[in-house]
Amino acid sequence: MTHFDIEIFRRVFQALLKGAEQQKPEVLERVERWMCQERTGLLLVGSVGTGKSTIAAAMCRCWSDLTTVARYAQCDLIADRIKQDESYKYEVALHKGLLVLDDLGTEATVYGQESLPFILYRRYERSLPTIITTNLAREGILQRYGERIADRLRTYDQITLNYPSLRR
């Protein structure tokens, strides 16, 4: 049984991603397939303005598990929060519900570059549902976070959004 309300997702997706008509059906189908398969990891990759964050936010909004809540967090803000309170990385890493990590690779501080691999590794080893959005290709993830994290993220389903910015 899925933890997502697919009908809500479809309505939100269609309303928010105007301008991606050519890729919408394929992207919508792949995202829905991921939601129905009970997979634990999804990587949404693409250049700026392609709707990665919007899709992830829509998925977060339609999470329907009654025992846990979905959590949406921007990676740069996680790093800032961890700088103030080191225990926050445990709170994020061990969150039982869906976790969306938006804009992996934007964290500029050492706290983010050290803490995000910790968070990703803990969620991976516990098979906790995680969606990551990023502008980084697999090679960029390898360079920034190392082989250990890059190898684990290879097990995530990846959807690449290959179209121009929808903000134009």
Side-chain angles (χ1 to χ4, degrees):
M1 178 164 94
T2 184
H3 291 290
F4 293 95
D5 185 322
I6 299 294
E7 288 306 314
I8 290 174
F9 175 74
R10 285 181 185 150
R11 287 194 302 272
V12 172
F13 182 90
Q14 295 298 332
L16 295 177
L17 280 182
K18 294 176 184 162
E21 286 78 11
Q22 293 177 348
Q23 292 235 352
K24 262 189 196 181
E26 178 189 340
V27 171
L28 179 62
E29 187 242 316
R30 290 190 65 203
V31 169
E32 285 183 5
R33 188 172 48 227
W34 182 86
M35 290 190 298
C36 291
Q37 290 177 344
E38 298 291 320
R39 301 295 302 256
T40 57
L42 177 64
L43 196 58
L44 295 171
V45 179
S47 60
V48 297
T50 56
K52 300 174 303 294
S53 299
T54 301
I55 292 169
M59 294 173 80
C60 201
R61 287 173 64 183
C62 72
W63 175 260
S64 62
D65 185 342
L66 298 177
T67 61
T68 61
V69 296
R71 179 179 235 166
Y72 186 96
Q74 294 177 316
C75 290
D76 59 338
L77 298 179
I78 290 174
D80 290 344
R81 174 88 184 267
I82 291 169
K83 185 176 180 180
Q84 298 167 5
D85 178 8
E86 184 76 17
S87 68
Y88 184 66
K89 72 180 178 184
Y90 294 96
E91 181 183 330
V92 173
L94 302 176
H95 174 69
K96 298 280 189 222
L98 173 68
L99 175 65
V100 173
L101 295 172
D102 188 32
D103 276 338
L104 183 72
T106 61
E107 64 287 348
T109 67
V110 69
Y111 293 97
Q113 292 172 1
E114 292 174 358
S115 298
L116 281 165
F118 172 86
I119 290 167
L120 292 170
Y121 182 70
R122 295 301 175 273
R123 293 193 64 78
Y124 171 84
E125 70 185 5
R126 289 169 175 79
S127 297
L128 295 171
T130 308
I131 298 171
I132 299 169
T133 71
T134 186
N135 296 342
L136 297 174
R138 296 240 185 230
E139 302 77 39
I141 291 172
L142 174 63
Q143 289 174 353
R144 186 166 181 108
Y145 300 102
E147 183 64 32
R148 187 174 183 202
I149 292 301
D151 187 56
R152 282 160 179 78
L153 293 184
R154 280 186 199 100
T155 67
Y156 281 32
D157 290 337
Q158 179 174 321
I159 298 175
T160 302
L161 306 177
N162 289 322
Y163 41 83
S165 173
L166 299 174
R167 295 185 189 122
R168 296 180 188 158

